[in-house]
Amino acid sequence: MWRNRASLRTGRSFDLGKMNLPQLWMAYLTYPTILLYFALIVLTTTLCLRAHPPLMHVLIPVALVVAIYPITWYAIHRFILHGQWLYRNPLTAGLWKRIHFDHHQDPHLLDVLFGSPLNTIPTIAIIVTPLGYAVGGWPGAWAAIATGLAMTCVYEFFHCIQHLAYKPRSRWVARMKALHLLHHFHDEDGNYGITNYFPDRLFGSFYEDARSRPRSAHVFNLGYTVERAARFPWVMRQTGAPPRDRPEGAKPGSARPAA
């Protein structure tokens, strides 16, 4: 516990594979990115309510954002974060490394599990602001942004739970965690959801258990193999080491999800 407290002061990363639930709550509620989201939620909610908008100009944008969030996350996760095009360009290789490659290389590392606010906040704003503005003008836009940020906080917390050394008591959370761990430790080409796997079912990327498909050779490197790194070296240069195809210290064929 003391080591995790120390990391708050020094900036050293948290290892979710070695933390319990109370330690996660402490890390989550004090993490700078989450605190920034909280502050922006308060700010955008205040801007919305100060205009005294009609109730439906707030409720409709909120409902729209809640409805589209799982599908939007699915599309971003599948086609951008797992795409093969960002690492091929020296201008975008560092972005891809930060937003997803590092997370698959070490799924328990908290500081790469959370997206960078420089990437997440503009993305949220670009997606939800037009929806809110079309319904309720700027009050509707502020309501939509606040909802998008709140949904992000919820997703990030459950994402932490999925990589935490903790067995959820809730059957729903336990199943959600098991499905996500399959994405990280069995086959990355599926189960792209975090809390909602309806888009996976809708678009054919859902799978129930490890028996449903063979284990992927690229579950940890997302297809950025040593051979690809030789051709497109920019991610490897920033990492300082070749891409791994299994957890650090694991024997070949021994990669399994943590509880």
Side-chain angles (χ1 to χ4, degrees), residues 64-156:
L64 286 174
V65 173
V66 171
I68 71 166
Y69 200 99
I71 295 176
T72 302
W73 166 253
Y74 176 89
I76 292 173
H77 192 184
R78 181 173 184 176
F79 299 111
I80 297 178
L81 304 188
H82 280 257
Q84 298 286 302
W85 49 280
L86 285 175
Y87 69 71
R88 297 169 184 258
N89 189 310
L91 299 178
T92 56
L95 173 66
W96 183 74
K97 174 185 180 296
R98 170 62 183 87
I99 61 178
H100 213 54
F101 177 72
D102 286 347
H103 177 49
H104 270 260
Q105 287 280 279
D106 189 347
H108 296 124
L109 198 61
L110 184 61
D111 60 353
V112 295
L113 183 149
F114 291 141
S116 167
L118 294 177
N119 301 318
T120 56
I121 294 172
T123 301
I124 293 168
I126 290 169
I127 293 171
V128 306
T129 301
L131 290 174
Y133 189 84
V135 173
W138 279 112
W142 296 128
I145 294 171
T147 306
L149 290 166
M151 291 288 290
T152 299
C153 289
V154 172
Y155 265 50
E156 296 286 37

Side-chain angles (χ1 to χ4, degrees), residues 68-254:
I68 71 166
Y69 200 99
I71 295 176
T72 302
W73 166 253
Y74 176 89
I76 292 173
H77 192 184
R78 181 173 184 176
F79 299 111
I80 297 178
L81 304 188
H82 280 257
Q84 298 286 302
W85 49 280
L86 285 175
Y87 69 71
R88 297 169 184 258
N89 189 310
L91 299 178
T92 56
L95 173 66
W96 183 74
K97 174 185 180 296
R98 170 62 183 87
I99 61 178
H100 213 54
F101 177 72
D102 286 347
H103 177 49
H104 270 260
Q105 287 280 279
D106 189 347
H108 296 124
L109 198 61
L110 184 61
D111 60 353
V112 295
L113 183 149
F114 291 141
S116 167
L118 294 177
N119 301 318
T120 56
I121 294 172
T123 301
I124 293 168
I126 290 169
I127 293 171
V128 306
T129 301
L131 290 174
Y133 189 84
V135 173
W138 279 112
W142 296 128
I145 294 171
T147 306
L149 290 166
M151 291 288 290
T152 299
C153 289
V154 172
Y155 265 50
E156 296 286 37
F157 181 76
F158 279 105
H159 197 184
C160 289
I161 288 287
Q162 290 162 346
H163 293 286
L164 188 67
Y166 164 73
K167 185 175 182 179
R169 297 180 182 180
S170 164
R171 291 179 61 183
W172 170 68
V173 177
R175 173 172 168 75
M176 180 178 63
K177 177 174 181 174
L179 293 173
H180 186 69
L181 290 180
L182 287 171
H183 172 80
H184 271 279
F185 294 91
H186 187 71
D187 184 2
E188 77 286 1
D189 190 21
N191 292 358
Y192 294 100
I194 297 294
T195 66
N196 189 321
Y197 291 92
F198 173 74
D200 283 284
R201 294 180 184 274
L202 183 64
F203 297 109
S205 56
F206 179 80
Y207 66 104
E208 191 78 28
D209 53 49
R211 295 170 294 183
S212 302
R213 54 175 71 182
R215 186 178 184 275
S216 168
H218 305 305
V219 71
F220 289 100
N221 60 35
L222 303 184
Y224 186 69
T225 61
V226 172
E227 293 76 19
R228 288 288 180 92
R231 184 178 178 186
F232 307 104
W234 303 288
V235 170
M236 182 172 62
R237 287 174 183 172
Q238 292 190 35
T239 302
R244 300 196 303 266
D245 60 2
R246 61 182 62 89
E248 188 174 6
K251 298 179 181 178
S254 64

